[in-house]
Amino acid sequence: MRYCSRRQQTIFGQKPFESACLPTWLPSLGELLTQVISGRNRDLRVAAVDAMTTNETLWFRDGYPFDVLANRLLPELGEGRRPIKIWSAASSSGQEPYSIAMTVLETQAKKPGSVSSVQVTATDISSTMLANCRTGIYDSLALGRGLSPERKRTFFKDLGDGRMEVMDNVKRLVNFRHQNLLESYSLLGKFDIIFCRNVLIYFSADIKSKVLNQMAASLNPGGYLMLGASESLTGLTDKFEMVRCNPGIIYKLK
Ligand SMILES: C[S@@+](CC[C@H](N)C(=O)[O-])C[C@H]1O[C@@H](n2cnc3c(N)ncnc32)[C@H](O)[C@@H]1O
């Protein structure tokens, strides 16, 4: 079976889908859509998700969310002395959840005893991305985007072929799971902090509202939500109050 490899030539997108891209056993685009929607063929569903999603990400993206996490949220939530639970809700190839885990380890090293334990749950709709995340192996292109030489030395093993692998003490903090944000999150449990960054852009206003209200229900009292630098809650939900961090804005559950 062969699928079209051009990522942006999406099945439901605006560009025409060339018949040359169809698996040979599918007679038409209509049949392809029927098969994808039915979800019966796992390989086809995975290929469709991969074709429709954009996985652009980098280490410590936008900087300030990780500074706020280190300097404000971990010290504040760490006073409770129970495990702090953090959810990276669209983890792509793993840079976001691993950056969270590295921030936690750096904070623990700087202020021993200030943060007892942290669990990071990282989810994505793409099974391909989740499989990549679990290996924790990155090529030089990915490693060149957002990592300081010191962080590379501290948190990675050099594999000797240009690639590096995330160290086990970082991996141990992160649990990767499949989750479509349009479905129920009840099996994930409750969190103290949710990173939901650069994924809401894919959804209509109505779906954004549903996702954000469901995230509010997944937060412990006083929990925090982080959005992407260009995203906001305006007109979508009234469950959060804005907290200005200078630089950056985060949201606290009301
Ligand atoms: C642009 S990346 C953002 C990655 C990371 N959060 C960041 O800010 O760097 C968007 C991710 O959202 C995921 N995604 C898209 N639709 C989704 C859905 N309905 N449920 C869960 N994840 C989804 C994609 O697979 C992709 O990995």
Side-chain angles (χ1 to χ4, degrees):
M1 182 189 307
R2 218 179 137 268
Y3 302 107
C4 181
S5 61
R6 268 183 282 164
R7 299 186 59 75
Q8 291 307 315
Q9 192 166 18
T10 65
I11 290 169
F12 301 112
Q14 283 138 24
K15 295 181 188 169
F17 193 82
E18 291 164 13
S19 56
C21 296
L22 288 173
T24 47
W25 49 269
L26 280 173
S28 66
L29 182 54
E31 181 58 22
L32 172 63
L33 289 176
T34 306
Q35 294 265 348
V36 169
I37 291 164
S38 80
R40 279 194 298 272
N41 182 328
R42 186 181 178 278
D43 289 347
L44 189 56
R45 203 183 55 221
V46 168
V49 167
D50 287 348
M52 287 190 290
T53 51
T54 303
N55 305 111
E56 163 66 13
T57 189
L58 62 151
W59 303 95
F60 297 90
R61 187 172 190 170
D62 304 324
Y64 76 84
F66 304 93
D67 295 339
V68 172
L69 179 65
N71 301 322
R72 179 172 181 155
L73 303 192
L74 291 177
E76 179 186 318
L77 297 168
E79 283 177 5
R81 297 284 153 205
R82 61 174 173 75
I84 298 170
K85 296 198 171 180
I86 304 177
W87 178 19
S88 167
S91 58
S92 186
S93 40
Q95 282 86 335
E96 182 176 274
Y98 284 137
S99 298
I100 295 170
M102 290 173 201
T103 303
V104 168
L105 291 169
E106 287 173 348
T107 309
Q108 287 172 333
K110 261 189 225 150
K111 300 177 199 153
S114 61
V115 184
S116 50
S117 90
V118 176
Q119 294 162 5
V120 182
T121 299
T123 65
D124 202 278
I125 195 173
S126 165
S127 304
T128 308
M129 284 298 122
L130 290 169
N132 291 345
C133 289
R134 290 188 184 105
T135 69
I137 296 176
Y138 296 89
D139 64 18
S140 55
L141 192 69
L143 292 163
R145 301 186 67 209
L147 276 178
S148 66
E150 193 195 341
R151 281 179 170 148
K152 272 191 218 170
R153 269 195 309 276
T154 311
F155 296 118
F156 290 83
K157 290 179 268 198
D158 194 335
L159 297 182
D161 56 2
R163 299 177 308 155
M164 296 181 101
E165 181 175 352
V166 175
M167 299 269 240
D168 288 344
N169 62 334
V170 181
K171 278 189 190 170
R172 263 197 296 274
L173 293 184
V174 188
N175 177 26
F176 290 99
R177 295 176 63 167
H178 183 269
Q179 174 71 53
N180 180 349
L181 293 175
L182 275 49
E183 293 172 356
S184 166
Y185 319 152
S186 55
L187 292 179
L188 294 178
K190 295 265 189 178
F191 297 93
D192 300 298
I193 306 168
I194 300 177
F195 282 66
C196 177
R197 305 174 64 228
N198 305 301
V199 62
L200 291 175
I201 39 170
Y202 297 115
F203 308 145
S204 66
D206 188 35
I207 290 179
K208 282 181 193 169
S209 291
K210 284 188 185 137
V211 166
L212 290 165
N213 288 330
Q214 211 189 156
M215 289 201 166
S218 302
L219 278 170
N220 286 319
Y224 290 94
L225 173 69
M226 305 261 204
L227 297 183
S230 60
E231 295 169 321
S232 95
L233 296 183
T234 309
L236 297 173
T237 177
D238 56 3
K239 305 247 187 262
F240 296 90
E241 61 182 291
M242 190 192 281
V243 180
R244 289 183 188 281
C245 296
N246 197 24
I249 287 169
I250 62 173
Y251 299 91
K252 184 168 185 162
L253 187 66
K254 280 184 187 165

